[in-house]
Amino acid sequence: MSPVLSLLDLALIAPGQSARESLAASVALAQAAERGGYRRVWYAEHHNMASIASSATSVVIGHVAAQTDTIRLGSGGIMLPNHSPLVIAEQFSTLETLFPGRIDLGLGRAPGTDQTTMLALRRDPSSADSFPQDVLELRAYLEGKSLRGVRVVPHADGVVPLYILGSSLFGAQLAAQLGLPYAFASHFAPDALHRAVEVYRDTFKPSDQLAEPYVIAGVNVFAAEDHDDAVEQQAIAQRSRTRMMLSQGRSSPVDFTDAEIDAFLVSPNGRNLAAMAQYTAAGTPAEVRAYLEDFAASAQADELILAHHTMRPDDRVRSVELTAGAMADALR
């Protein structure tokens, strides 16, 4: 059986594009995913990255939800150690109240940023250690429980489902222990995918939310009518991503030529960065479908969350449309 498809959107700010234009493009992308039958769109919490506009993740979710009708919207993810569980429970309970039956809450424990910005977020470097306890506290608030006399207001009538995000065995073990769905960030951290899924499935304990293990795996997609066009879109996106990562912690972005970036990516120092995009489908709709079906089977994934990260917004929408058409029998 073909996997369910969903969408990961970083609200990319392309060169020469404003953040407002980027967020408008995210609305158009979610609308295309909804038309195509994708199950959900998730937005990631990243901070101090000039090319990503989804830092205020819950605000972006609400903005897109107001301009779509049926598709689920959520976080992929909220970096919980950056926040108090109560604040996130209030935000997502409010979203569920406004858009009932359409809100997801994916949770991660990384800072989603650099060390300096982490401190600006008032995050204690050791806060990730309490992630399991914070997840339990958050879940209790969302279930309407009072902790130390504190409740979430408004409390949504519907359930906000939780998902554990990860790229290591820690997240797999926690998701299995809590009986929650597990989403693996294989679109940029591929190394532990198969082992993490194996651990999750082998140690899963049923919960009120989930009776059986459920795996979501991330994969990059560049779909175009022409194979060479798709491959070129992939190359452009890889260069842009490399520039962004090399610019981390600098006062201004690096200004390397395309040739210099390409040379770096095949150098000993650059190969690890290039390998982050190991799981990428690039080509015609038929080629993309074949790749995604093989990847889902290999990863034992029930659902794929696709990162259509070509730089031009129109190309992203077209990639979503072409993939939806190719995988039509997978979308339900």
Side-chain angles (χ1 to χ4, degrees):
M1 181 181 294
S2 296
V4 173
L5 296 189
S6 292
L7 176 66
L8 175 66
D9 181 12
L10 297 184
L12 292 173
I13 306 174
Q17 185 183 49
S18 69
R20 184 181 182 89
E21 291 169 329
S22 168
L23 293 170
S26 287
V27 171
L29 195 66
Q31 291 169 340
E34 184 173 80
R35 291 192 304 269
Y38 282 56
R39 176 166 292 183
R40 68 186 95 243
V41 183
W42 279 359
Y43 303 92
E45 178 188 344
H46 290 285
H47 300 279
N48 196 31
M49 293 186 180
S51 61
I52 296 178
S54 57
S55 56
T57 313
S58 60
V59 177
V60 175
I61 292 168
H63 176 66
V64 178
Q67 299 180 77
T68 51
D69 297 314
T70 57
I71 196 164
R72 299 189 66 88
L73 285 307
S75 59
I78 290 293
M79 300 296 105
L80 190 54
N82 293 343
H83 314 275
S84 77
L86 174 62
V87 168
I88 297 304
E90 289 174 338
Q91 291 176 3
F92 279 79
S93 186
T94 300
L95 286 168
E96 175 64 24
T97 299
L98 292 169
F99 308 102
R102 296 182 58 203
I103 302 301
D104 298 330
L105 178 48
L107 301 168
R109 66 176 183 136
T113 190
D114 56 82
Q115 293 292 316
T116 302
T117 308
M118 184 181 74
L119 295 176
L121 287 165
R122 293 180 169 82
R123 174 178 171 173
D124 184 329
S126 66
S127 56
D129 296 340
S130 64
F131 180 66
Q133 292 74 29
D134 288 346
V135 172
L136 292 174
E137 182 177 340
L138 173 59
R139 182 163 69 176
Y141 280 132
L142 289 173
E143 290 173 347
K145 296 177 181 177
S146 174
L147 301 181
R148 300 174 295 277
V150 178
R151 293 181 181 272
V152 166
V153 179
H155 178 252
D157 293 333
V159 174
V160 179
L162 299 182
Y163 298 76
I164 298 298
L165 279 58
S167 58
S168 69
L169 300 189
F170 176 89
Q173 292 165 338
L174 179 63
Q177 179 184 350
L178 298 181
L180 295 176
Y182 180 51
F184 192 91
S186 38
H187 61 294
F188 76 89
D191 291 349
L193 169 63
H194 293 89
R195 179 59 181 149
V197 170
E198 180 183 19
V199 167
Y200 170 69
R201 289 192 176 278
D202 287 348
T203 60
F204 179 83
K205 298 178 181 178
S207 68
D208 291 342
Q209 178 177 328
L210 193 64
E212 298 179 349
Y214 191 86
V215 172
I216 303 174
V219 58
N220 303 290
V221 174
F222 300 87
E225 285 91 346
D226 179 75
H227 172 87
D228 291 342
D229 184 18
V231 171
E232 180 61 18
Q233 290 179 25
Q234 178 190 9
I236 293 170
Q238 177 76 306
R239 293 178 192 125
S240 177
R241 180 177 181 174
T242 303
R243 288 189 179 94
M244 178 187 73
M245 298 189 74
L246 293 177
S247 297
Q248 283 288 101
R250 296 172 180 260
S251 58
S252 59
V254 297
D255 189 24
F256 297 133
T257 66
D258 287 353
E260 289 170 332
I261 292 292
D262 291 345
F264 170 74
L265 288 171
V266 297
S267 71
N269 288 333
R271 287 190 192 115
N272 287 340
L273 196 155
M276 292 171 64
Q278 173 183 341
Y279 295 125
T280 297
T284 64
E287 290 170 328
V288 166
R289 174 173 178 159
Y291 184 96
L292 294 181
E293 290 183 337
D294 287 347
F295 172 75
S298 173
Q300 300 183 67
D302 303 288
E303 180 175 338
L304 300 181
I305 189 158
L306 311 183
H308 295 268
H309 285 167
T310 189
M311 297 308 296
R312 284 170 39 89
D314 290 349
D315 289 335
R316 288 201 292 275
V317 169
R318 189 61 181 144
S319 184
V320 165
E321 292 172 341
L322 292 173
T323 303
M327 302 285 289
D329 63 340
L331 305 175
R332 49 192 184 275

